[in-house]
Amino acid sequence: RHTRYIGDWSSDVCSSDLPFSTAWRSRREGAALTTVSKSPLSCSPMRLTVPVLAFIAKLTSGATLRWIDCQPDTCQRVYFANHTSHLDALVLWASLPKDIRLVTRPVAAKDYWDRGSIRRYMASVFNALLIDRKEIKVHQSPVDLMSKAIGDTYSLIVFPEGGRSSDGETGKFKSGLYYLGKKRPDLELVPVYIDNLNRVLPRGEFLPVPLLSCITVGAPIWLEADESKADFLARARRAVLDLKDV
């Protein structure tokens, strides 16, 4: 009863990136290609590093990506997922098809990814949008930063729980997803359930343990007219949890 699409990333990993002038074509070609060519990913060293980093992330996590009632598309989206591991953002981003990955920015905690040269470099490679959770300014909220960063081209990966779960259970969603959906009603809000990554990189550990994990992408949702913040966040959380047993 569900439409399923399971991505095959073997050819994506084994082939080198083409120049950006011929790398991909889509219905958003004009705007997307112009913006991407100016991003950190367009630098020559980065182009060589991106497929390598994506390959290592997918190999280590053994991630399988499934699309349920949703098709891969470069249209602007907010992929919102449960959060159990520091690898969540990297593995989800790496598992996306190449053309989608080029226009998708994971939102990550600055206090973690800006700590040390290796983490900073990795964050720059997968073009992460680092949010400072400790110094939130009134006129420069995380939602404002995200809306400005994506413009009319990029998609985002966010984790509405705000932090990693310590017991593997999906916690209550914070209000950021609601305000982002309200500020940008044109964005598709796409639920994602990430399974088993908390065992690949357990809390407090530094080295990942090679295990199989599964990422399930569900049907998009939108903020409905007159829907309250509490109702929307509960509905968005259910959309993620419903993918657990699909």
Side-chain angles (χ1 to χ4, degrees):
R1 298 174 60 185
H2 298 281
T3 302
R4 295 171 180 254
Y5 174 89
I6 300 179
D8 176 11
W9 49 266
S10 57
S11 60
D12 177 30
V13 172
C14 296
S15 62
S16 60
D17 279 0
L18 296 173
F20 271 78
S21 60
T22 58
W24 56 286
R25 292 291 185 269
S26 72
R27 58 187 176 81
R28 296 180 59 84
E29 180 178 6
L33 193 58
T34 300
T35 304
V36 169
S37 65
K38 297 178 182 179
S39 76
L41 297 178
S42 64
C43 302
S44 179
M46 293 302 184
R47 289 215 311 270
L48 296 175
T49 306
V50 167
V52 174
L53 180 60
F55 172 73
I56 293 173
K58 288 182 283 191
L59 181 66
T60 302
S61 64
T64 299
L65 182 65
R66 303 186 303 158
W67 300 80
I68 308 297
D69 295 333
C70 180
Q71 294 296 320
D73 199 309
T74 55
C75 66
Q76 281 194 284
R77 289 171 166 173
V78 177
Y79 298 94
F80 62 97
N82 58 310
H83 195 19
T84 60
S85 167
H86 280 309
L87 287 179
D88 290 340
L90 174 57
V91 172
L92 175 51
W93 170 83
S95 299
L96 294 171
K98 185 191 298 185
D99 58 339
I100 300 177
R101 196 166 65 226
L102 288 172
V103 290
T104 301
R105 302 190 64 181
V107 177
K110 184 177 181 180
D111 55 283
Y112 178 82
W113 287 101
D114 199 38
R115 190 189 312 159
S117 58
I118 294 178
R119 291 180 186 175
R120 278 196 300 271
Y121 180 70
M122 289 179 64
S124 69
V125 169
F126 64 87
N127 203 17
L129 174 60
L130 301 184
I131 299 294
D132 193 333
R133 298 180 294 183
K134 298 180 179 179
E135 296 184 9
I136 298 177
K137 301 177 181 179
V138 175
H139 300 294
Q140 199 174 22
S141 69
V143 171
D144 291 331
L145 293 174
M146 287 186 281
S147 181
K148 181 179 179 181
I150 61 178
D152 61 357
T153 300
Y154 284 96
S155 294
L156 292 174
I157 295 172
V158 302
F159 301 97
E161 293 168 88
R164 291 172 299 141
S165 169
S166 59
D167 56 7
E169 297 297 321
T170 302
K172 290 184 178 181
F173 283 5
K174 296 188 181 298
S175 59
L177 183 64
Y178 167 80
Y179 288 113
L180 185 58
K182 189 173 183 179
K183 190 178 186 70
R184 292 290 304 269
D186 56 306
L187 300 177
E188 292 188 359
L189 307 179
V190 180
V192 180
Y193 185 79
I194 303 174
D195 186 35
N196 213 34
L197 270 186
N198 59 314
R199 295 178 60 194
V200 174
L201 186 64
R203 195 179 186 94
E205 298 295 329
F206 178 73
L207 295 176
V209 179
L211 291 171
L212 296 179
S213 57
C214 182
I215 299 172
T216 305
V217 183
I221 66 172
W222 288 267
L223 177 63
E224 296 179 355
D226 300 323
E227 186 175 20
S228 71
K229 179 174 67 175
D231 288 344
F232 170 77
L233 293 176
R235 181 165 64 92
R237 182 175 178 271
R238 284 197 305 272
V240 171
L241 293 177
D242 285 346
L243 298 173
K244 183 177 181 179
D245 300 317
V246 174

